[in-house]
Amino acid sequence: MGNFMEWLDRRFPATQVWNDHMAKYWTPKNFNFWYYFGVLSIVILVLQIVTGIFLTMHYKPDVTLAFASVEYIMRDVPWGWLIRYLHAIGASAFFVVIYLHMFRGLIYGSSREPRELVWLIGCVIYVALMAESFMGYLLPWGNMSYWGAQVIISLFDVIPYVGPALSEWIRGDFVVSDATLNRFFAFHVIAVPLILCVLVFLHIVALHKVGSLNPDGIEIKENKDKGGIPLDGIAFHPYYTVKDTVGVVVFFIIYLGVVFYWPEGGGVLLEKDNFTPANSLQTPPDIVPLWYFTPFYSILRASTADFLVVLGSLTAIAAIATPFIKTKRSNKIAAFVGYGVIAICLFIFDAKWWGVVMMAMAIVVMFLLPWLDKSPVKSIRYRSLPFKIAVTIFVLAFISLGYLGMHPVSALSTIQAQTCTVLYFAFFALMPFYTTWGKTKPVPERLT
Amino acid sequence: MKLSNSIKALLVALPILAVAPNTFAAGAESLVLDSVHIDSRDTESLQRGAELFVTYCLSCHSAQYMRYERLANDLDISLEKLSQEMMFTTDKPGDLMIAAMPEEDAKEWFGVAPPDLTLVSRLRKNDWLYTYLRGFYLDEASPNGWNNSVFENAAMPHALYELQGSQTLVGHIEHGVEGAGDAQAEPQQGQKLVGDAIFELQKAGTLSPTEFDTAMRDLVNFLSYLAEPAQLQRRAIGPWVMGWLVILFVVSYLLKKEYWRDVH
Ligand code: HEM
């Protein structure tokens, strides 16, 4: 064994990589609950790929065969039902884990200098993951698959000039059809998973360059012993490998609990209208995207003509008010022009266009987080009260948007969704301000 | 402190705001359904349901994703019984359960082709099925002489007429929905409540009303099995998987504690 490693190490940096990234990769010793979700994301990615390969062996990407092939997997393929449930429920589990992982970044300031790239790559992963599951959801060719894809792809229609041509290009046809199913299959089983794997690799490389932050939000590299090892650092392996194993087992208890005892998840994980084949003549009573898209779907539906009038008037007032704010002249002009343009656009473009724009913006703003957060401290443990209030409101608004997006609209729920949409964007837009308000607590020298 | 109070108020208010519209919406349109308590471990009930299904439903409806053989294996039905009493359209147990009636004929006769029933329990849910199957009543205005209390103007005739007999719709009980002219407080003697519809038996069938309800419970139990045969395996394997995971948890937890003893 020793000889073999010597032979190998002269040709390949096996021991070096192992040490740099596992055995001598120094990790803060105080990781808590929130730090399991990165490892769990990798576990689920692998699980999705492995179960996906087995599904692909029996699945048929053809509109006349797809639905029946999934039922064939559920009934006639040995253990097919388990593989299929693992995969379909794994997609939801993936998003649960990813949302918690992103939330950690928000509350501990992990996205900030010097980890901006880790955060940005993460945001791209999130977008790729949304594309992956959106396309995967068409594959079983159920009625909700079909109508969901129909509705979402036609959103591109609102883009001026190129919209209709673009959505036709995505579908490969005038409506969602066999051509769409085939290309979504190609993207879902190889293109996007490949991109995801590369992105995850880059995410880890970027992370290991700077090292993990921790719940105290301070850098362990600032306190090293004589040998250059951080005083508050412990080796990733074995300490965190054994600790993460516990987390992975707990995750599997919950995940397999759902797979074995509650696979439909009350109609949220497997939607009932997807138990009937796609039918272009029969629209489901309410077209609902999967739960992890519903916050954005709510934002899309929140855009009504009335809402735009309110927003337009507010931004117009903001534009008029800028000359009276105490700041540099150039700032005033920039703000005036900025608000003015937005106000004019709010009156020019229609609600459907704004719905799509707001939905896209809701994701784009996530990318900006590292630069919007101006707090002198990183961790929520030492932050001032206004930030804590803002995060609380944001989480409630996001969950409410998700909830509202799962149900048909009513007059009241539209106003609620609009309120939550405003809160959602205000969280980001006002962040440079409220993160500097209030008194932060003193940050400790060493981990607590 | 005032601010933290307002956070609490918000914490309470937002989710309530989000839930409110649904409680309103639900009352307005949803059907009143009877709930049915089925049990996939009750093999005898599943067997009775399967017999009802092949006898009364398979003539029009298919279960095109299901094989006879699977059914016999899962429900402890002997292959003899299967081929003699349950397979009418084929003699190969490995075949899929396809309806006796060709789809085009059915379409011509009923106006709509009878939909495939393999997954109907996952699509419509069991309470709906239980209420639907008990909700057929005589209606002269309808082309086939029957109507249904949860599926208005369904093209399906009362397939279980022989068992249930025939009933007429007397009215609906009040449940807050705007003026059903026929609203009455509750069913009288000799009348039967199905969902929110009140029926009166005109001609008795071979089963008593309670026997018929039990038979429909068996049939729904079977339809639920039919939609997901794997549920039998899920429930059989589930405890072992969970038990094994719990052991794994204890072991991994102890291992972690051991390794972390020197971390302070
Ligand atoms: C990386 C993350 C992945 C996510 C989030 C994901 C998500 C999904 C979703 C939501 C569905 C529809 C589920 C259903 O209703 O059955 C699906 C189906 C499918 N996926 Fe994936 N998937 C992933 C990776 C993969 C990979 C890598 C492969 C193949 C190598 C694959 C192959 C398939 C196949 C063949 C189906 C259709 C079968 C079925 O619907 O059960 N998936 N996927």
Side-chain angles (χ1 to χ4, degrees):
Chain A
M1 190 62 198
N3 279 341
F4 172 72
M5 284 314 294
E6 234 171 76
W7 183 91
L8 185 66
D9 279 335
R10 254 186 287 133
R11 291 157 180 85
F12 185 88
T15 305
Q16 190 196 330
V17 168
W18 171 259
N19 283 337
D20 287 355
H21 298 285
M22 299 294 282
K24 288 182 183 153
Y25 176 68
W26 308 109
T27 323
K29 63 181 186 184
N30 65 339
F31 280 174
N32 60 10
F33 169 77
W34 296 102
Y35 286 77
Y36 285 113
F37 298 104
V39 169
L40 290 179
S41 307
I42 296 180
V43 169
I44 306 176
L45 179 63
V46 172
L47 203 81
Q48 289 300 90
I49 291 177
V50 173
T51 52
I53 290 170
F54 282 94
L55 286 174
T56 311
M57 292 178 194
H58 304 281
Y59 171 79
K60 299 213 160 39
D62 174 323
V63 293
T64 57
L65 304 172
F67 188 86
S69 77
V70 173
E71 276 311 312
Y72 177 80
I73 292 170
M74 289 297 291
R75 290 153 196 274
D76 293 341
V77 174
W79 297 101
W81 61 273
L82 182 58
I83 301 281
R84 199 256 170 144
Y85 280 161
L86 287 174
H87 194 83
I89 294 160
S92 277
F94 212 150
F95 277 90
V96 171
V97 166
I98 288 288
Y99 278 131
L100 294 172
H101 187 66
M102 293 166 81
F103 180 66
R104 186 277 316 269
L106 178 65
I107 60 172
Y108 291 137
S110 335
S111 71
R112 290 172 51 183
E113 197 278 326
R115 295 179 185 76
E116 300 95 325
L117 260 189
V118 182
W119 176 263
L120 287 182
I121 296 169
C123 287
V124 180
I125 293 179
Y126 176 60
V127 172
L129 203 59
M130 295 212 269
E132 173 72 352
S133 76
F134 171 65
M135 290 189 281
Y137 193 57
L138 184 69
L139 304 186
W141 204 245
N143 211 22
M144 194 60 97
S145 299
Y146 176 85
W147 285 97
Q150 193 79 285
V151 168
I152 301 298
I153 298 173
S154 65
L155 291 180
F156 289 95
D157 285 346
V158 305
I159 299 173
Y161 307 113
V162 294
L166 181 65
S167 58
E168 200 182 304
W169 181 71
I170 293 170
R171 284 187 294 253
D173 203 337
F174 299 109
V175 289
V176 172
S177 67
D178 198 54
T180 323
L181 181 61
N182 277 303
R183 60 185 56 196
F184 275 31
F185 180 68
F187 275 101
H188 183 77
V189 303
I190 181 69
V192 184
L194 215 56
I195 292 172
L196 274 171
C197 290
V198 171
L199 287 170
V200 169
F201 178 76
L202 295 178
H203 191 65
I204 308 288
V205 170
L207 174 71
H208 282 204
K209 172 72 186 168
V210 290
S212 295
L213 196 65
N214 58 75
D216 276 321
I218 54 177
E219 302 293 343
I220 57 166
K221 284 181 179 167
E222 279 165 16
N223 288 293
K224 290 183 177 168
D225 69 7
K226 289 182 219 84
I229 297 171
L231 288 165
D232 285 329
I234 49 178
F236 186 84
H237 179 75
Y239 292 103
Y240 279 110
T241 38
V242 291
K243 192 176 178 197
D244 286 341
T245 306
V246 182
V248 170
V249 173
V250 171
F251 165 75
F252 270 100
I253 289 178
I254 299 168
Y255 169 53
L256 292 184
V258 173
V259 165
F260 278 92
Y261 292 101
W262 206 41
E264 289 174 22
V268 171
L269 304 179
L270 299 180
E271 292 176 298
K272 69 182 172 63
D273 285 298
N274 238 16
F275 288 113
T276 185
N279 184 343
S280 59
L281 302 176
Q282 191 185 46
T283 323
D286 11 274
I287 301 179
V288 194
L290 280 165
W291 68 269
Y292 37 83
F293 293 131
T294 51
F296 305 106
Y297 189 57
S298 261
I299 291 178
L300 173 82
R301 292 194 303 189
S303 174
T304 60
D306 297 344
F307 189 47
L308 295 189
V309 172
V310 174
L311 290 183
S313 313
L314 287 177
T315 32
I317 293 171
I320 295 166
T322 43
F324 304 102
I325 300 170
K326 268 213 227 89
T327 175
K328 273 188 291 186
R329 202 191 171 107
S330 57
N331 284 357
K332 281 188 194 179
I333 296 173
F336 181 77
V337 173
Y339 283 131
V341 169
I342 295 175
I344 291 168
C345 289
L346 279 164
F347 287 110
I348 296 179
F349 291 104
D350 68 350
K352 203 176 165 205
W353 187 85
W354 272 105
V356 176
V357 170
M358 284 199 270
M359 187 167 74
M361 288 305 294
I363 294 163
V364 170
V365 287
M366 293 181 182
F367 285 75
L368 306 179
L369 183 70
W371 297 279
L372 295 175
D373 182 353
K374 303 273 187 218
S375 175
V377 301
K378 286 182 178 168
S379 168
I380 195 157
R381 288 184 180 175
Y382 309 110
R383 292 213 184 205
S384 57
L385 189 62
F387 178 80
K388 295 181 187 172
I389 297 172
V391 169
T392 311
I393 295 175
F394 173 70
V395 170
L396 293 174
F398 191 72
I399 293 172
S400 301
L401 283 170
Y403 180 86
L404 292 167
M406 288 185 207
H407 298 90
V409 284
S410 67
L412 179 60
S413 80
T414 302
I415 293 177
Q416 290 169 344
Q418 290 164 344
T419 312
C420 293
T421 302
V422 170
L423 293 174
Y424 180 97
F425 284 108
F427 175 72
F428 292 96
L430 302 180
M431 189 178 284
F433 306 106
Y434 63 72
T435 46
T436 61
W437 297 345
K439 212 166 122 48
T440 56
K441 294 196 192 96
V443 174
E445 272 294 303
R446 297 272 305 269
L447 298 188
T448 55
Chain B
M1 211 171 61
K2 269 197 194 118
L3 266 173
S4 71
N5 276 345
S6 58
I7 299 180
K8 275 187 209 143
L10 252 170
L11 268 169
V12 177
L14 269 174
I16 291 178
L17 268 175
V19 175
N22 284 289
T23 26
F24 294 132
E29 34 156 284
S30 75
L31 294 163
V32 180
L33 300 175
D34 292 338
S35 54
V36 58
H37 300 285
I38 56 162
D39 180 2
S40 64
R41 278 160 298 195
D42 186 348
T43 308
E44 283 172 24
S45 157
L46 288 176
Q47 287 171 347
R48 291 192 298 267
E51 270 176 71
L52 285 170
F53 183 78
V54 295
T55 318
Y56 293 101
C57 317
L58 206 52
S59 43
C60 297
H61 294 278
S62 293
Q64 60 170 320
Y65 308 114
M66 186 67 182
R67 294 176 199 283
Y68 287 101
E69 199 170 17
R70 172 73 179 266
L71 185 139
N73 289 341
D74 279 352
L75 306 188
D76 284 338
I77 297 172
S78 70
L79 281 181
E80 272 154 46
K81 185 175 159 116
L82 182 77
S83 55
Q84 277 159 24
E85 294 170 35
M86 300 176 82
M87 280 165 45
F88 305 121
T89 52
T90 171
D91 49 10
K92 292 200 243 4
D95 273 357
L96 295 163
M97 301 175 74
I98 303 293
M101 185 186 294
E103 205 167 299
E104 301 82 65
D105 291 1
K107 210 165 191 166
E108 201 170 304
W109 290 349
F110 303 111
V112 241
D116 188 87
L117 290 187
T118 325
L119 292 163
V120 76
S121 144
R122 300 190 96 168
L123 179 66
R124 292 287 200 173
K125 303 292 166 202
N126 297 329
D127 290 349
W128 188 90
L129 289 173
Y130 182 62
T131 315
Y132 172 72
L133 291 170
R134 289 151 61 250
F136 284 95
Y137 63 91
L138 288 167
D139 181 3
E140 277 157 24
S142 138
N144 62 22
W146 297 98
N147 207 332
N148 190 281
S149 60
V150 292
F151 187 164
E152 226 178 299
N153 301 323
M156 171 169 153
H158 191 2
L160 297 162
Y161 158 75
E162 205 180 302
L163 303 181
Q164 187 186 24
S166 56
Q167 54 187 10
T168 49
L169 182 68
V170 184
H172 292 87
I173 53 163
E174 294 170 81
H175 54 86
V177 185
E178 75 293 338
D182 54 0
Q184 97 182 36
E186 55 188 48
Q188 252 102 65
Q189 254 232 302
Q191 297 183 337
K192 185 174 162 190
L193 187 64
V194 174
D196 64 347
I198 301 166
F199 292 120
E200 206 162 69
L201 203 58
Q202 292 301 317
K203 191 161 150 283
T206 52
L207 298 181
S208 76
T210 30
E211 283 169 342
F212 183 72
D213 283 358
T214 313
M216 288 310 98
R217 177 185 167 272
D218 294 338
L219 183 54
V220 173
N221 198 10
F222 173 74
L223 288 173
S224 160
Y225 155 78
L226 182 67
E228 196 206 4
Q231 62 185 286
L232 303 182
Q233 278 122 304
R234 277 204 285 121
R235 301 227 171 82
I237 305 162
W240 297 97
V241 174
M242 299 321 275
W244 187 78
L245 279 172
V246 168
I247 294 170
L248 207 60
F249 170 74
V250 173
V251 173
S252 63
Y253 181 73
L254 292 176
L255 192 72
K256 187 255 164 189
K257 267 196 100 157
E258 178 62 26
Y259 268 101
W260 278 66
R261 257 198 321 207
D262 56 345
V263 179
H264 302 289

